[in-house]
Each structure stands twice: as C-alpha cells, then as structure tokens.
C-alpha cells in the first residue's frame, strides 16, 4: 500500500524502473509544457509508448518535438481534442492507459480579446476527452484493474488534467497561499474555462469512478515557451532592442516554477497520485513582475554579447494594465510534498539563467515565430 511508504521509497518509486511500460496519450504535446514533458518522459521512461495529439495552433510547434521524432516508441498525431472519432480510434488503436491532458488555449491576454476558442478547447475539448476515456476505460482498462492498492500500476489507468493556480483567483498581500481547498474564483475567460474543465474532471471521478487527477500549477518558465508570455517576450524584446512592456505598476506577483520541476511533479502525480484528488504545484518563488524583468535584464547584460541597447533596463516601459489583472498568486504545495514526495529543485536565479541562455542559443527556434499573425496580435495587445 502506497500510504505506508516513506517519502524516500516514494521518491525512489517515481524512478519507475520496476513498472510495466505505460502507454500515454499526451494532448498538447507540441506546446511549451507538453513538449518539455515529452522530452522528460522519453528520457526517463524510454520503454513507454508515447503518443502526442496536438492541433498545432499558433502555440503548437513540430520543432518542439524534433529531438524525439525519430524514436520508435513515439508517435505524433495532428488533431483536435474536440474530434471524438479521432480520439476513440487513437485510444483503442494505441491501447492507451494514461492520458496527460495539456492541450488548451493558455494565454490570458488572448482570452480577453477572443474567449470563444477558450470555451471550445478548454471546456468542450476536455469534456470530449473525458467522455472518450470513460468509454475506453469501461470497455478495456477497467477489466484489467486488479485493485485500487495498485497505485502507480498502469492497470489503474489515469486521466491527469493539467491545470492552473489561476482558478483560485487573486490574493491580497497578506492572504495565505492557495491550498487545494481554496474556493474557486476565476477572473479571466481563460481561468474560468480552466475552472470549468477542472470541475468536469472532478465530476467524472465522483459520478463515474473515472480515475482523474487534477494538478493546479503556478507560472512555468523555461525552453520552448511561446513569446507571448512574460519571460520569453522580455528575452526576445531585449535581444531585438524593443520596449519591455510592464503592465500597470509592475507590482503584480507570480510564483515561478522551472518547467522541468513541473514535469517531475506530474510524474509523481501519475505514479503515486490518488484518483479523485487535486494537487497544487508551485515553486515557492513569489516575485513582483518588475523585479523579475529587472533580473532578466541583468542576466541579459551579463550573458548576451551584442545587445542593441545596454544596460537593457532602459527598455522597460510601464503600459496600460491588463483588464481584470490578478494581483497575486501563491501556492501552498505542502500536500504534494508530504503525500507524493515532490519538491522543486531549481532556484529562480538558476532557472532564469538557463532560460536566458536557451533563448540566446536558439534564435533559429524563435525567429520564425515572429510571423505576421504574431505581429498583428502584438499590435492589438500593446496598441503599438
Ligand atoms: P501552450 O499554449 O504552450 O500549448 C498548448 C498546446 O495545445 C499547443 O501545442 C496547441 O497546439 C495545443 N492545442 C490547443 N488547442 C488544441 C486543441 N483544440 N486540440 C489539440 N491541441 C490543441 O500551453 P502551455 O503553457 O504549455 O500550457 C499547457 C497546459 O498547462 C495548459 O492546459 C495550461 O492551462 C496549463 N498550465 C500552464 C501553465 C504555464 O505557466 N504555462 C501553468 C499552469 C498550468
Ligand atoms: O499561473 C499559471 C498561469 O501562468 C497559466 O495558467 C497560464 O497559462 C500562463 O500563461 C500564466 O499566466 P499569466 O497571465 O500569469 O502569465 P503571463 O506570462 O501572461 O503574465 C505574467 C505576469 O506578467 C502577469 O502579471 C502579467 C504580466 N505581463 C505579461 C505580459 C505578457 C506584463 O507585465 N507584460 C507583458 O507583456
């Protein structure tokens, strides 16, 4: 029984060496966190079958998976999570036992400009996947389930819904961090759509016994991050000598987590998490936006050889605030630490240094993303 295991035993178990191979469907695997997760999983569990389903929206990029494309155990399928028929075929054909669900519209600013796609993908898409997995689980996986004590065994099946801390709303300066029992209070169309999908995942466990697990994570950063989000946008604008737009007074606080640490936490949730449970994941790194941008500027001044503007802090510009801008997020990750043995391992200084170096060394990755569509989006959000 996992409940009697020590934390050391749990940590060792998450190595997975003794497990039968899993067969995973990773939705949104061509996006930022999804592709980092695919890299993590392929190197950690090379014997597992891994199938990515991704619609390749503006945020999805086949290049993000170039390092794993030729692996025998890897398959990429272009498709939409709202396409029930395609999902049914994939689940059956690939005998999937684990769904890791990343696919989403993920950017708050875009959800303010056009919420429709957020409802479609995040709510209807998640519903479609849950329904498909329910049918698959009833007809195939459930029969193979021996006992609920076999947590970590592929026979139990897992639907891991990767979600966000934004569902909890905004904290005041003296409020305690979000826990798993903090009431939901989403403030943007993005967070409302993620809250809706969380509720569906939860309901499918309570109503149908489907083994769903929800994780609510804070702000990630690292490689393959699309340059609409704060950190990659600032890195690229610094390299291009463009203004660094800081919303409002720059005092909003986010809790930053290196994406590799998020992947390790998801691994722990898949292997050891309890169906029907929610786990908060956070970096214990609360930073004000303006401080973060200044830190990035200092790192760029130190690491980038040919900056158009140096020191690059001169590029900072305070701009009109994001409507409904949440003031502060902070995560209490005690549950995942005590129950699953996970803690973050990368400090924000070290993670940002690695990230800055990645954007410096991978200009071939981000240059093509600055398309006409991207420029039009940029003009609309920043009114420039
Ligand atoms: P992302 O925008 O970089 O990637 C999303 C991926 O989903 C893309 O590859 C895109 O092509 C794909 N996709 C979008 N709509 C689809 C559809 N209808 N069908 C199939 N594929 C589709 O997102 P991300 O930042 O990597 O976030 C991944 C997940 O993690 C999301 O569910 C997000 O809510 C959650 N999350 C993100 C963060 C963060 O800081 N980025 C933090 C916590 C949780
Ligand atoms: O907290 C988890 C969430 O983190 C995820 O669920 C979302 O998918 C992810 O996009 C992220 O949401 P945020 O809105 O916090 O991330 P973003 O990078 O867009 O913004 C971070 C902070 O920086 C936020 O307070 C807004 C501010 N910001 C952002 C941009 C793009 C600026 O000041 N200027 C900018 O140009």
């Amino acid at each position: 029984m996992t409940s009697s295991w020590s934390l050391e035993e749990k940590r060792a178990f998450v190595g997975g060496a003794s497990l039968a191979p899993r067969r995973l469907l990773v939705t949104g695997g061509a996006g930022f966190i999804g592709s980092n997760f695919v890299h993590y999983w392929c190197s950690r569990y090379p014997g597992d079958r891994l199938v990515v389903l991704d619609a390749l929206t503006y945020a999805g990029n086949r290049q993000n998976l170039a390092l794993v494309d030729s692996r025998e155990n890897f398959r990429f399928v272009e498709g939409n999570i709202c396409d029930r028929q395609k999902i049914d075929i994939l689940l059956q054909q690939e005998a999937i036992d684990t769904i890791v669900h990343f696919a989403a519209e993920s950017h708050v600013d875009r959800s303010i400009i056009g919420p429709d796609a957020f409802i479609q993908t995040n709510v209807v898409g998640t519903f479609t996947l849950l329904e498909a997995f329910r049918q698959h689980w009833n007809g195939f996986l459930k029969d193979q389930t021996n006992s609920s004590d076999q947590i970590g065994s592929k026979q139990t099946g897992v639907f891991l819904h990767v979600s966000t801390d934004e569902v909890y709303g905004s904290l005041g300066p003296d409020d305690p961090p979000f826990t798993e029992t903090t009431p939901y209070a989403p403030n943007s169309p993005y967070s409302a759509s993620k809250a809706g999908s969380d509720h569906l995942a939860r309901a499918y466990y309570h109503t149908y016994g489907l083994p769903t697990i929800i994780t609510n994570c804070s702000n990630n950063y690292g490689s393959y991050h699309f340059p609409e989000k704060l950190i990659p946008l600032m890195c690229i604008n610094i390299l291009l000598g463009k203004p660094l737009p800081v919303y409002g007074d720059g005092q909003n606080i986010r809790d930053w987590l290196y994406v590799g640490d998020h992947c390790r936490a998801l691994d722990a949730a898949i292997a050891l998490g309890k169906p029907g449970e929610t786990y908060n994941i956070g970096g214990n790194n609360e930073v004000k936006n303006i401080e973060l941008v200044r830190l990035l500027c200092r790192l760029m001044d130190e690491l980038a050889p040919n900056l158009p503007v140096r020191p690059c802090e001169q590029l900072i510009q305070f701009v009109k605030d994001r409507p409904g801008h949440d003031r502060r997020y902070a995560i209490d990750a005690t549950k995942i630490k005590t129950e699953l043995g996970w803690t973050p391992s990368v400090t924000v200084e070290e993670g940002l240094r690695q990230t800055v170096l990645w954007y410096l060394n991978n200009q071939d990755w981000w240059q093509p993303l600055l398309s006409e569509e991207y420029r039009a989006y940029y003009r609309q959000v920043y009114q420039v």
Side-chain angles (χ1 to χ4, degrees):
M1 292 267 295
T2 34
S3 54
S4 59
W5 288 9
S6 69
L7 279 187
E8 284 65 35
E9 284 170 318
K10 285 179 177 175
R11 283 199 192 102
F13 182 79
V14 175
S18 61
L19 291 182
R22 283 182 181 274
R23 302 185 68 86
L24 290 87
L25 178 69
V26 178
T27 71
F32 161 48
I33 306 174
S35 60
N36 276 280
F37 179 82
V38 170
H39 293 142
Y40 167 89
W41 202 271
C42 286
S43 71
R44 183 119 195 171
Y45 306 110
D48 284 5
R49 174 73 170 161
L50 199 152
V51 180
V52 165
L53 175 67
D54 196 297
L56 295 181
T57 67
Y58 78 92
N61 187 345
R62 285 294 277 117
Q63 284 306 312
N64 295 2
L65 297 169
L67 292 175
V68 294
D69 249 342
S70 59
R71 293 177 80 104
E72 208 180 302
N73 271 340
F74 175 78
R75 177 179 171 199
F76 177 83
V77 178
E78 184 172 345
N80 199 304
I81 56 165
C82 299
D83 183 344
R84 176 67 193 270
Q85 207 186 358
K86 189 163 221 157
I87 298 163
D88 285 345
I89 291 169
L90 264 184
L91 292 180
Q92 203 185 16
Q93 197 179 58
E94 294 284 353
I96 296 296
D97 53 62
T98 302
I99 294 186
V100 190
H101 177 33
F102 293 98
E105 288 294 337
S106 68
H107 191 37
V108 174
D109 291 322
R110 286 189 193 251
S111 83
I112 295 166
I113 298 169
D116 311 41
F118 287 73
I119 304 306
Q120 197 57 32
T121 288
N122 301 0
V123 182
V124 179
T126 302
F127 164 71
T128 308
L129 265 181
L130 284 164
E131 271 295 278
F133 194 58
R134 180 164 79 94
Q135 180 180 305
H136 179 63
W137 189 71
N138 277 328
F140 168 66
L141 282 175
K142 208 175 177 180
D143 295 342
Q144 300 183 19
T145 304
N146 299 323
S147 125
S148 61
D149 289 350
Q150 286 196 320
I151 290 171
S153 155
K154 70 163 188 163
Q155 280 85 0
T156 54
V158 179
F159 185 109
L160 178 65
H161 180 53
V162 181
S163 192
T164 171
D165 59 357
E166 299 202 9
V167 296
Y168 298 122
S170 185
L171 292 168
D174 300 322
D175 289 335
F178 303 129
T179 70
E180 288 78 2
T181 56
T182 301
Y184 274 31
N187 290 319
S188 71
Y190 162 69
S191 52
S193 68
K194 291 296 289 188
S197 59
D198 287 9
H199 291 322
L200 283 168
R202 181 178 186 278
Y204 269 64
Y205 170 75
H206 285 280
T207 307
Y208 304 114
L210 198 72
T212 62
I213 294 173
I214 300 167
T215 52
N216 294 96
C217 186
S218 63
N219 285 61
N220 284 216
Y221 66 97
S223 52
Y224 302 105
H225 205 177
F226 191 85
E228 62 189 353
K229 310 281 167 57
L230 181 71
I231 289 179
L233 183 105
M234 295 296 162
C235 288
I236 285 168
N237 281 12
I238 290 171
L239 293 172
L240 297 173
K242 285 176 61 178
L244 307 179
V246 175
Y247 295 159
D249 61 4
Q251 300 296 310
N252 301 64
I253 292 173
R254 296 291 181 266
D255 170 17
W256 294 96
L257 180 70
Y258 193 57
V259 65
D261 276 335
H262 188 188
C263 295
R264 286 175 42 252
L266 298 176
D267 185 356
I270 291 165
L272 300 167
K274 216 170 142 211
E277 292 291 321
T278 286
Y279 300 93
N280 280 356
I281 304 169
N284 208 12
N285 275 316
E286 283 188 59
V287 188
K288 287 180 180 157
N289 289 343
I290 186 64
E291 286 169 8
L292 187 90
V293 174
R294 289 200 174 116
L295 180 53
L296 279 174
C297 287
R298 286 198 294 278
L299 283 167
M300 278 288 185
D301 285 338
E302 178 195 331
L303 299 170
N306 299 311
L307 287 177
V309 177
R310 189 192 298 272
C312 44
E313 266 198 39
Q314 297 168 72
L315 293 168
I316 292 175
Q317 279 185 13
F318 290 93
V319 300
K320 192 165 166 281
D321 209 352
R322 171 187 278 175
H325 195 177
D326 286 337
R327 195 63 172 168
R328 173 178 165 235
Y329 303 143
I331 281 273
D332 179 341
T334 306
K335 181 176 172 183
I336 191 167
K337 182 178 174 189
T338 53
E339 294 186 15
L340 309 187
W342 174 86
T343 47
S345 66
V346 180
T347 64
V348 90
E349 288 76 14
E350 179 51 28
L352 284 179
R353 180 173 286 270
Q354 292 306 325
T355 303
V356 163
L357 284 170
W358 194 87
Y359 284 92
L360 266 173
N361 294 330
N362 288 279
Q363 307 218 5
D364 291 352
W365 177 84
W366 57 260
Q367 284 284 3
L369 303 180
L370 311 181
S371 61
E372 193 39 55
E373 191 278 340
Y374 177 82
R375 288 176 217 281
Y377 159 81
Y378 200 91
R379 283 193 296 272
Q380 196 173 356
V381 172
Y382 299 101
Q383 296 173 356
V384 288

